[in-house]
Structure formats: C-alpha cells, structure tokens
Amino acid sequence: MIEIRNVSKWYGDFQVLKNCTTRVDKGEVVVICGPSGSGKSTLIKCVNGLEPFQEGVVTVNGTSVGDRGTNLPKLRSHIGMVFQNFELFPHISVTDNIKLGQVKVLGRSADEAQERAMRLLERVGLVDQADKYPAQLSGGQQQRVAIARALAMDPIAMLFDEPTSALDPEMINEVLDVMVELAQEGMTMMVVTHEMGFARKVADRVVFMDEGRIEEDAPKEDFFGSPRGERAQLFLSKILHH
Amino acid sequence: MFAAFDFEVIIKHIPFLWQGMQLTLLLTALALCGGILGGTVLALCRLSRFAPLSFAAGSYVNFFRSMPLILVIFWFYFLVPLLVGRPVGDFYSVLIAFALFEAAYYCEIIRAGISSVRRGQVYAGQALGLTYGQNMRYIVLPQAFRNMIPVLLTQAIILFQDTSLVYVVGLKDFLVSGDIVANRDNRLFEMYTTIALVYFVLCLIGSRAVRRLQRKYAL
Amino acid sequence: MQYNWNWGILLQDPYFGWVWSGLGWTIATACAAWVIAFSLGSVIGVMRTTNVAALRAIGTAYVELFRNIPLLVQMFLWFFVFPELLPRETGMWVKRDLPLPEYSTAVICLGTYTASRVAEQVRAGIESIGQGQRYAGLAMGLTPAQVYRYVLLPVGYRIIIPPLTSDFLGVFKNSSLALTIGVLELTAQTRQIEEYTFQGFEAFTAATALYCLVTFIVMTLMRVVEHKTAIPGMISLEAK
C-alpha cells in the first residue's frame, strides 16, 4: 500500500532523512518511534507529499508521490492525516470541520456530508459537541474530532503524527482507544508515537529511527523482545519505564 | 515618449532642487526632535496613574490621529500668526504643526516601548532607592529606546515622506522646488519622475538600513 | 488676539453646501479607494505568502515601490505622468474623455497605495497562523487555492481586523491629498471657506468635527464587524 524506497531529504546542507526504506501493507499498523530530531515527522509528511524529498521514491497504492505529474490533492484526499496539534479549523464548527473536505474535495452533497459527520461523531463519542467550535473543546476532544475529520474522507490509509504528544495525560487514553478500534477494524495505519503501550497492543511492525536513518524495522514481538541495535535498546529502556 | 526625455532640465536645476531638499531634511530633523520629545512626555502622561493626565494625553493622541495632516497644516498655518499677533514665517507654523502631529504617533511607539521593559527592571530600580524620575531616566527609558529604535526610525522615514505635504502652503521643499521647475519649464514628466526616483532611493536605503539595524540589535 | 467670531457663517449659503459636498466627496473617494485597496491588497498579500518565488518577488516589488514614494508624489505621478506612459490612443482618452478625471485619478492613486498597506497586513495575518493549518488543509486534499479560501483567509482576516481598521481610517485621512489635483473634498472646501471669509476657526472646526465623526463611525462599524465575526470560545486569536 505505502512504499518508501531509499528516500533522502535535505534542508539546505542538513540531511534530515538518510536513505530510508520501509513499507506498510494493506491492513498493517506500523508504529514509527525514535528520539526527537530523528526525522520521523518528516518521513511521515513525505508520504502524502506535504514535505518534498530530493532522492528516492514514495508510492501510495501504486501512485508515485514525488512524481511531477501526480495530482497531489487527489492523492491526499485518499489518505487521512492526524496532526500533533490537532489543527482543527478554528473558525468553523466541529461538524463543519468534518464536512469541509467531503463537500469541497469529494463533492458530496451537504446532506450526505452532514449525515456522515454525525455518524462519525457518534463513533468517536462526541455527538453532543456537534455544534461547538474547536476552541470550546478539550485537547482530547479536538483530537478525536480530527480523527473523525480524516475518516470522513473514507481514506485507504491513515497517517498519525504524534497524535497524543500535545495532550494532557488524562486525555491520552480517549484518543488511543479510538485509534485501537480503527486498527482492529483493519485500517492501514502509519503512526509516529512514543506510546509503546499502543504499539504493543495493535502494531504489526515497529520502525525505529535515529538521526534520519531507519535503524530497526521489525515485527512487534521481535522489537520488544530483543531489538538488535544498541541505539534502539537504549531508546526503549528510556521510555519503557513510564 | 522617451525620445524626448529632457535630462538637461534636471541637471541645470540641481542646485535649486538641492536647496529644496535641504529644507525637507531640516524640517524632518526638527519635527523629528519635537515629535520624539513631545511623544515621550505624552507617553509618560498616558502611563501615569493620575487619571486626568492619562485621559488628557489619550485624548490628544486620539484627536491628532483622527486628523488628516493637511488639515493640521492648514490649522496651524492659519492659527499661529493669529496667536502670536503678527506674521510668522511659513516654516515655523508648519514646523509646529508637524511636531505636534508627529508627537501623537511617537507617543504610541514610545508607550509600547516603555511597556516592553519588564516590570522586574522597574522593581530593581525602586529597590535600589531610585525615585520615579531617576528610574525612568537611568533604567527604563534607555532600555525602552533601544527596543524602539527600529520603529522610531521607520516612523522617521514616514515623516520624511509626509513633509512633502507642505506643498499645500507652498513652502519650498524638495517636491515644491521640483514642481516649480516642472511648471516653469513645462517638464512635468521629467521632474515628477525624478522627484519620485529620488524619494524612492532615499527611502529604500533608509528602510534597508533600519532592517539591518533591527537584525543587529535583535534582543 | 484679534479675531471676528462668526459661527453663523457655516450655516450660510453657499458655505453650508460646500461643507456637506466636501464631506460627500471625501466619503466617495475613500470608499471607492478602499474597494480597490482591499481586493488588490489581499491578492498581493497572498502572493507574498505562497511557495512560488516569482509571485513573492512581484508582491515584494509592489509593496516596496508604493511604500517608498510619498503619497503626494504618487498622486502627481498618476495625474501628470501616467497618461504619458500609455499608448497614444489610451493616453488621449484618459486626458480628454475620462469621466471625473480628478476623482478617478485620486481613487486609483489612493487605492493602489493603500493596497500595499493591506498587503502587508494580510501577509502578517497569514504568517501568524502557522504551518500546521496549511498542512491540515492540504492533507485533506484541498488545493492550495482552496486552503487559502477555506482555511487561511477566514482566520487571517479576523486576526487583522484591528490593523485593517487603522488602514481604513487612513484612507479617509489620505483622501485629503486629493485636493492637490482638484478634488473638492472636505479639507479643500473648508480651506476655500477660509480663503473667502477669513473665518478660519469656524471653517476648520467644521472639518475637524466631521473627521472626528467619520473616525467614530468607522471605529464603531469595525467593532461591530469584529463582534459579528468573533469565533465562539476564543478570547483572542492566538497563533498556535
């Protein structure tokens, strides 16, 4: 489904991604972890073309992301993305946030979009907040709306960029629960996160990045059981004592 | 169109234009001083805890900021000789108008600058036993001015451009001098283009310099 | 101070009519110029925030050009120099057949100048929103143009209502410069009254009072706009 082959990216002279190769197959849940500055956020933003890259190939369902002829908006409409800072549009209501992409990108009718939006809000447990504005919601609620907004596009895959890093501890679980459900329903997911509990529960594979390189790429049991690299071991030991 | 661009008329009148520019620069410099002085006084009044003073200064600022500069020039051009009781030179009426007008704008800049100095600094000065006046003079204002220099200079460039408005009372600044030549020798195109170019170059250099200064002083 | 007070002069014909016609021209000039300023300024401001270097360069050049020449000089350039730069036929049309030539020139001059200020406000507003919102819009599949229309501009405009207000007021004040090319707006008319009657105090007070009134109305209007467009739940629009 998602293929990343030999991708390298530079910001000026600084190389932020070094020859990264990995894949996410249909229905797989891949967790990407690593210390800050390792390039994981940048890598995931290369998948839907938010960040350009100088070398390598990224394909989503056969379409090359870096190709000049690719219709990026169309490609992006098939991939859902959830951001660390939620990034709900503050000037429109929760429901309108979920409807915007459906109406303007997918061309659905307002009624159809409304119906879908309400269904998705129910799914994430926020139907009674439908008419509120993002600023009136807590962080955890906003992030759940953000997930609903991404799901409204009926994506073939979902990208999560540190979805719980900006949340207060007591709200992390409400978001993770939604993500676990998604994974169990068979959604293809690529998740950048520090939440190893989540990884242990639903991830199929774990990818460890450090300083722009993919150091480890192993099935979950192998990764948590006996990671090969020293850096990965160090990282795990630091965060697993949470 | 460009076939007949008369460079000669420009070159011939450079001394005359330069005289006009000198008046522009003089007016700018003096109005700048008056404006900053007046602005500082107004800012301190606005920040004072004595309500009537703060209100009076606030009203002054809001009033002058609602007025077009041309109207202020006309006001003082008319009023100053009347108040003094005898004809006063055009220059002085206009200078007073500019200084009082700019003071309102400088007040806001300076007020923001003073407010940007952390309260802790004021407390530190007070803890040392400094009076309000000493605190202002030695601790707050020096820091405030350092923060504000880019904005003050930008406003000075705006003032430099605004002096062209003395056209309405015929004071012979750079623009008016150029205008005189333009009409006398029937060379509107050449003169206005030249005037515009000179202003453009000077202001561009000025604003670039301010930007470099800003980067250097970035606190 | 020797001065003959005569406040009644303002109520006499034709001076009474002059004052109100002057106000009318001031408002007409300012509003027409603002329409140009807002639309053109928005376009240029947006241009300065895109990823396309050429568009950014054009936007920057525009702003620098209009910012570094005094407005009065610009007025003269438009009135005296611009018609000469046009191709012969258009130039002749402008010089002879343009309806209300002084007014039109003043409007275009004020409009293009104020556009450069609006452009800067729009740019600052959009830049203060931050990359995240742009990414979120793009990630949904919105085209860059749609991102501006549905995400960046709605919030950007709300952020810049206060500085835009002062630019809007600025247009009213700057409309007084139109008197130099013959538009009989408020300041011009009261100056004319002063020249005819020597009752400067009365005449200029009328102008002063009316400008204060205009300022008051504009500020009230903008406060209503700010209130109506406020986003529920947000006390102030902070960049994330």
Side-chain angles (χ1 to χ4, degrees):
Chain A
M1 172 83 74
I2 300 175
E3 267 204 52
I4 299 172
R5 279 206 307 269
N6 304 110
V7 167
S8 291
K9 180 185 166 68
W10 284 263
Y11 277 130
D13 285 332
F14 175 66
Q15 190 169 9
V16 61
L17 292 176
K18 298 173 187 158
N19 207 7
C20 299
T21 300
T22 186
R23 57 185 296 128
V24 183
D25 290 321
K26 186 158 151 71
E28 258 199 313
V29 174
V30 173
V31 164
I32 306 183
C33 63
S36 54
S38 54
K40 26 187 224 298
S41 269
T42 314
L43 184 68
I44 201 175
K45 290 205 188 86
C46 290
V47 173
N48 64 355
L50 286 182
E51 290 278 359
F53 47 92
Q54 286 83 359
E55 273 178 29
V57 182
V58 176
T59 55
V60 176
N61 227 15
T63 318
S64 165
V65 173
D67 194 41
R68 263 176 200 274
T70 313
N71 185 344
L72 275 179
K74 190 148 180 274
L75 176 76
R76 289 172 184 151
S77 64
H78 295 309
I79 309 175
M81 187 159 193
V82 175
F83 297 85
Q84 181 175 352
N85 290 315
F86 337 132
E87 302 297 353
L88 291 182
F89 305 133
H91 58 295
I92 51 182
S93 71
V94 158
T95 317
D96 286 334
N97 259 277
I98 303 177
K99 281 162 71 177
L100 182 67
Q102 295 184 66
V103 173
K104 298 295 174 189
V105 180
L106 298 179
R108 291 184 189 149
S109 75
D111 291 324
E112 201 194 335
Q114 174 77 20
E115 202 236 315
R116 292 258 194 150
M118 295 312 266
R119 249 194 289 144
L120 283 164
L121 280 174
E122 228 188 290
R123 183 174 171 180
V124 299
L126 288 170
V127 158
D128 46 339
Q129 310 291 336
D131 293 320
K132 293 259 177 74
Y133 281 72
Q136 296 169 307
L137 300 179
S138 73
Q141 291 172 321
Q142 286 187 53
Q143 193 64 299
R144 282 187 277 154
V145 172
I147 296 176
R149 178 177 69 172
L151 288 174
M153 309 292 283
D154 289 331
I156 57 176
M158 289 276 282
L159 306 174
F160 291 83
D161 186 5
E162 305 218 36
T164 57
S165 298
L167 291 174
D168 289 334
E170 66 267 18
M171 294 193 254
I172 293 181
N173 281 326
E174 68 194 55
V175 173
L176 287 181
D177 287 341
V178 173
M179 288 167 67
V180 165
E181 253 184 62
L182 261 183
Q184 284 167 344
E185 283 163 13
M187 173 65 78
T188 312
M189 291 165 67
M190 195 169 171
V191 183
V192 173
T193 184
H194 296 296
E195 295 293 326
M196 289 299 125
F198 170 80
R200 254 204 258 257
K201 204 163 176 183
V202 290
D204 293 301
R205 279 182 20 245
V206 180
V207 169
F208 174 74
M209 280 185 77
D210 194 12
E211 288 183 1
R213 250 182 275 272
I214 293 185
E215 298 284 345
E216 294 252 0
D217 185 350
K220 158 175 72 180
E221 302 77 17
D222 293 347
F223 185 81
F224 286 112
S226 52
R228 276 160 278 170
E230 192 188 300
R231 284 211 196 92
Q233 286 181 2
L234 197 63
F235 179 74
L236 266 185
S237 71
K238 279 193 195 146
I239 66 169
L240 281 182
H241 286 285
H242 229 283
Chain B
M1 161 189 62
F2 279 122
F5 193 91
D6 187 353
F7 285 99
E8 232 194 270
V9 72
I10 304 168
I11 298 173
K12 198 164 57 168
H13 290 106
I14 286 184
F16 184 60
L17 293 172
W18 170 236
Q19 268 198 318
M21 178 55 85
Q22 284 178 316
L23 189 128
T24 296
L25 292 170
L26 182 65
L27 182 59
T28 307
L30 291 176
L32 186 64
C33 294
I36 292 184
L37 266 159
T40 311
V41 169
L42 282 167
L44 291 173
C45 289
R46 271 204 98 168
L47 290 168
S48 101
R49 257 171 286 199
F50 185 49
L53 203 60
S54 170
F55 180 74
S59 310
Y60 178 101
V61 169
N62 287 329
F63 175 75
F64 273 97
R65 285 169 71 115
S66 321
M67 290 295 118
L69 181 49
I70 292 186
L71 184 60
V72 175
I73 293 175
F74 282 152
W75 254 121
F76 283 92
Y77 191 70
F78 156 78
L79 202 56
V80 172
L82 209 64
L83 287 175
V84 171
R86 57 178 172 78
V88 170
D90 290 356
F91 183 78
Y92 293 106
S93 308
V94 164
L95 177 59
I96 294 175
F98 269 101
L100 290 176
F101 183 79
E102 288 294 316
Y105 287 86
Y106 276 113
C107 168
E108 291 305 278
I109 296 174
I110 294 171
R111 191 164 72 102
I114 292 179
S115 305
S116 75
V117 177
R118 290 188 342 262
R119 273 253 101 190
Q121 294 284 301
V122 177
Y123 291 146
Q126 287 174 333
L128 281 174
L130 296 176
T131 67
Y132 175 79
Q134 289 174 317
N135 226 354
M136 271 294 145
R137 191 165 171 309
Y138 296 112
I139 314 262
V140 178
L141 286 178
Q143 290 189 54
F145 271 99
R146 204 187 149 151
N147 290 346
M148 308 179 232
I149 283 184
V151 194
L152 284 178
L153 287 177
T154 306
Q155 184 66 24
I157 296 177
I158 294 175
L159 171 55
F160 176 67
Q161 295 185 8
D162 282 347
T163 56
S164 58
L165 290 178
V166 299
Y167 173 87
V168 300
V169 291
L171 201 63
K172 284 212 211 54
D173 76 328
F174 181 62
L175 172 61
V176 170
S177 306
D179 190 65
I180 290 175
V181 174
N183 284 301
R184 196 168 55 193
D185 290 9
N186 198 18
R187 287 273 177 270
L188 297 169
F189 184 87
E190 283 84 350
M191 290 317 297
Y192 288 140
T193 327
T194 309
I195 294 169
L197 196 65
V198 171
Y199 270 115
F200 179 74
V201 168
L202 288 176
C203 294
L204 192 66
I205 294 176
S207 57
R208 286 285 150 92
V210 172
R211 226 169 293 171
R212 233 179 305 137
L213 203 78
Q214 213 165 3
R215 252 174 277 154
K216 203 173 118 182
Y217 274 115
L219 284 166
Chain C
M1 178 173 94
Q2 260 193 317
Y3 187 75
N4 292 325
W5 296 92
N6 180 8
W7 290 95
I9 196 91
L10 290 174
L11 298 171
Q12 274 174 29
D13 271 334
Y15 309 121
F16 184 70
W18 285 4
V19 171
W20 291 105
S21 111
L23 181 65
W25 280 110
T26 292
I27 295 178
T29 312
C31 291
W34 181 251
V35 169
I36 297 178
F38 190 76
S39 32
L40 184 59
S42 298
V43 170
I44 294 175
V46 164
M47 273 166 73
R48 290 194 78 179
T49 62
T50 61
N51 295 324
V52 185
L55 288 178
R56 278 205 311 271
I58 295 175
T60 308
Y62 182 95
V63 170
E64 288 296 319
L65 182 67
F66 284 88
R67 255 216 294 218
N68 288 307
I69 302 179
L71 182 53
L72 187 55
V73 176
Q74 290 185 34
M75 192 74 80
F76 289 158
L77 284 178
W78 281 107
F79 200 58
F80 296 112
V81 173
F82 179 67
E84 306 295 329
L85 293 174
L86 295 170
R88 218 171 150 270
E89 312 259 310
T90 332
M92 294 259 96
W93 177 80
V94 167
K95 275 186 264 196
R96 293 220 193 112
D97 298 317
L98 181 68
L100 298 173
E102 298 88 7
Y103 173 75
S104 311
T105 311
V107 166
I108 293 182
C109 172
L110 262 180
T112 50
Y113 168 77
T114 312
S116 72
R117 303 192 71 99
V118 172
E120 283 302 89
Q121 307 296 3
V122 169
R123 178 173 75 100
I126 292 180
E127 278 176 4
S128 76
I129 294 178
Q131 274 278 46
Q133 288 281 295
R134 202 188 281 244
Y135 277 156
L138 289 172
M140 237 162 46
L142 294 173
T143 64
Q146 286 176 316
V147 170
Y148 274 106
R149 180 154 165 11
Y150 298 115
V151 179
L152 294 176
L153 286 177
V155 180
Y157 277 134
R158 284 173 169 90
I159 292 178
I160 58 176
I161 289 180
L164 269 191
T165 307
S166 74
D167 282 332
F168 188 33
L169 277 172
V171 190
F172 281 95
K173 293 186 280 179
N174 288 332
S175 66
S176 58
L177 270 87
L179 64 81
T180 59
I181 57 170
V183 176
L184 289 171
E185 48 72 63
L186 182 57
T187 310
Q189 295 282 35
T190 54
R191 168 80 152 151
Q192 204 167 306
I193 296 178
E194 190 248 338
E195 285 178 335
Y196 272 59
T197 68
F198 298 104
Q199 307 294 140
F201 229 102
E202 289 83 346
F204 292 139
T205 305
T208 305
L210 287 172
Y211 277 114
C212 283
L213 184 67
V214 166
T215 303
F216 178 73
I217 293 178
V218 167
M219 302 230 69
T220 311
L221 192 72
M222 290 312 247
R223 222 169 292 151
V224 167
V225 169
E226 204 167 6
H227 188 76
K228 292 236 139 134
T229 59
I231 295 175
M234 281 181 125
I235 302 165
S236 72
L237 279 161
E238 294 275 312
K240 285 240 186 76

